Structures are given as C-alpha cells and as structure tokens.
Amino acid sequence: MRPAGDGFVAIDLLGRELTGEVDWLTAEETLDATGIGYLADRFELRQPDGSWIRVRIAEVSADRIVVKHDDFGAIGMPQVFVTLGFPIPETLRVLVPGSPNDTNPFG
C-alpha cells in the first residue's frame, strides 16, 4: 500500500494499482482478496520485433521482475530468463485467451 491523500492505494506485487484512494481497511481487504495467485498466471512478453512470447514469472522484488520462457514443464529444455524493471512494464501482459500463445506446443 502507499499513502494517497487521506487514504491509501492498494498495489499488488507487480506494482499495479488495485484501487483508487481508499481507507486502510478497504486497501487491506483488497490485498487479502487478491492474494498472490496471479503470479502463477500465464503471461506474454513483447519482443523487440513486436511479437509476443509466452512466459512465466520466476521472481518478483521491489526493483525487478524476472520471467522465464514457458517450457510447459518439459524436462531438458533450456531455461531462458529475462529481467524486467519494476513496476510491471507494458511489454509484459497477462496472456490473452485465444492468442497464438494460448496453446501448448507439446500437446
């Protein structure tokens, strides 16, 4: 949470604002209800050429977000990590349902 005016703004671990200015209890309840399950969501990372690749969040801290190419749990695949700034940059988004990355190439 961060102070805002006479209240607080609830912010998730990716740095996204979940509320506008609210009282402490509302901000706390919003964070409790949100939990951290969203960190297990599927994400897409925009590449320099404009294409999107499927990634998973590997680490989150107050100064960076680390994602890894989603290997769908395949053993022996190279693990490729990308370090991003904090808060979540525009180049990282929740996977859009129905996008080309919303399928498992391994079946």
Side-chain angles (χ1 to χ4, degrees), residues 50-74:
S51 65
W52 293 89
I53 61 168
R54 185 173 165 146
V55 296
R56 295 277 185 174
I57 292 180
E59 176 187 334
V60 176
S61 69
D63 62 346
R64 69 183 188 168
I65 298 169
V66 179
V67 297
K68 69 179 284 292
H69 290 203
D70 191 355
D71 57 17
F72 301 90

Side-chain angles (χ1 to χ4, degrees), residues 50-107:
S51 65
W52 293 89
I53 61 168
R54 185 173 165 146
V55 296
R56 295 277 185 174
I57 292 180
E59 176 187 334
V60 176
S61 69
D63 62 346
R64 69 183 188 168
I65 298 169
V66 179
V67 297
K68 69 179 284 292
H69 290 203
D70 191 355
D71 57 17
F72 301 90
I75 297 174
M77 294 292 291
Q79 294 194 16
V80 179
F81 294 89
V82 178
T83 301
L84 307 168
F86 181 89
I88 187 171
E90 291 181 7
T91 56
L92 183 64
R93 69 181 183 193
V94 173
L95 181 68
V96 176
S99 78
N101 288 324
D102 195 19
T103 60
N104 182 340
F106 302 108

